[in-house]
Amino acid sequence: MILIFFEILSGILMYYLDFPFGTQTIHVVLATLLFGIQFYLFLETKHQKKI
């Protein structure tokens, strides 16, 4: 939930402050982490169903 909050916050900063330095990088890194966590959880749930 913390990652989602910071993702939204960085998106808002990019929109309203016209891409301040660093917010785009933070936004992309957080999005990558979120996708990675979701994929990991997907693989874990798929593995649990086989057992």
Side-chain angles (χ1 to χ4, degrees), residues 3-42:
L3 284 176
I4 294 172
F5 171 75
F6 283 119
E7 180 75 19
I8 293 169
L9 182 64
S10 66
I12 290 171
L13 288 174
M14 284 192 319
Y15 182 76
Y16 286 112
L17 299 178
D18 297 326
F19 291 98
F21 183 75
T23 56
Q24 186 175 13
T25 306
I26 292 169
H27 189 74
V28 171
V29 168
L30 289 175
T32 304
L33 287 172
L34 285 170
F35 279 119
I37 290 169
Q38 287 177 353
F39 186 65
Y40 173 75
L41 291 174
F42 171 74

